[in-house]
Amino acid sequence: MGRVPTYEELLASTRYSAVHLEMRDGYMPSDPAFAAWKDGRLPDPVGDDADFQQWLGWVKNATSRGVEFRRARVVSVPESDYIRFEHFSSQANVEAGENIRWLPRRRATDIALPGNDFWVFDNELVLVLHFTGDGELADRELTRDERVLRLCTDAFEAVWERAVPHEEYRLS
C-alpha cells in the first residue's frame, strides 16, 4: 500500500470509528515517561510529555467529529510494570475521549487473536503494529485484506465484550 500514513493522518481521515487491541505486557522500555514513572518522578501522566499531549489532542479532535475510540488491552495478571504504567496514564486517554477496557489474559484463552497488536479504522482499514522482542516498535503495516480485517474486528469485539471497563478495572 506504499507509505504508511502517520497516526495524525489516519485519525484525521477516520470518519466514525477507531479501535485498538493491545496484547503485549510491555512496550517501549526506552520511553522516558515510563522510566520517570518507574523512578517515582511522574506524578502527572500528561506532564510535559509533548508526544502524549499531541496524541490526546488528536483523539479530542476526532471525537469532536463523532469518531468513537475504543481501546482494549489483554493483560497478564499480576500486571507487568508497563501495564501498571499504562493503567496510571489511561485516565488521560479516557478524558480525551477514548473508551478503554482491560481483559485478563486467562479470560482470553478461547478467543482467536491475531499475532500482532493492531488498529482498525472505520471497519475497513487495519494498521498492524510489529514490535521487537523487547517491545520497541519495529514497523507498521497497512492492509485492507478482508481476511485480516475480519480476524481483527472479530478478535477486538470478542475481547471488548468480556473486558472490564477502565473505571472498574483494579490492578492485582
Side-chain angles (χ1 to χ4, degrees):
M1 290 191 91
R3 182 185 80 83
V4 176
T6 65
Y7 283 110
E8 181 179 20
E9 292 167 332
L10 287 165
L11 295 176
S13 65
T14 299
R15 299 179 314 276
Y16 61 89
S17 71
V19 302
H20 182 34
L21 185 60
E22 297 176 10
M23 298 177 286
R24 297 181 55 90
D25 286 322
Y27 295 90
M28 297 165 291
S30 64
D31 179 358
F34 176 53
W37 175 84
K38 277 180 63 175
D39 294 342
R41 298 179 288 110
L42 189 67
D44 173 6
V46 179
D48 60 357
D49 186 336
D51 290 338
F52 193 35
Q53 291 172 3
Q54 187 174 51
W55 172 259
L56 297 174
W58 297 336
V59 172
K60 287 176 186 175
N61 287 342
T63 57
S64 72
R65 296 190 327 269
V67 174
E68 178 186 28
F69 267 80
R70 294 186 295 157
R71 179 188 302 255
R73 293 179 171 133
V74 177
V75 297
S76 297
V77 177
E79 296 84 356
S80 68
D81 283 347
Y82 196 88
I83 296 302
R84 290 176 179 282
F85 166 68
E86 282 192 328
H87 192 269
F88 166 75
S89 62
S90 288
Q91 189 57 40
N93 295 77
V94 170
E95 290 170 6
E98 289 190 46
N99 192 348
I100 299 175
R101 292 189 182 179
W102 304 79
L103 182 64
R105 193 171 309 284
R106 286 183 174 269
R107 296 186 53 212
T109 300
D110 63 340
I111 299 174
L113 297 170
N116 297 290
D117 290 9
F118 61 85
W119 281 90
V120 176
F121 299 96
D122 293 332
N123 289 324
E124 61 188 33
L125 184 63
V126 180
L127 177 66
V128 180
L129 305 174
H130 299 283
F131 290 90
T132 63
D134 63 358
E136 298 293 341
L137 184 61
D139 192 24
R140 300 177 320 136
E141 172 187 1
L142 209 53
T143 183
R144 293 182 187 274
D145 182 291
E146 287 295 323
R147 291 175 310 135
V148 174
L149 177 63
R150 186 172 44 256
L151 174 63
C152 291
T153 55
D154 289 351
F156 182 87
E157 294 303 331
V159 168
W160 190 256
E161 182 178 302
R162 289 187 194 176
V164 178
H166 175 70
E167 58 276 2
E168 297 172 23
Y169 187 76
R170 301 294 171 254
L171 297 171
S172 61

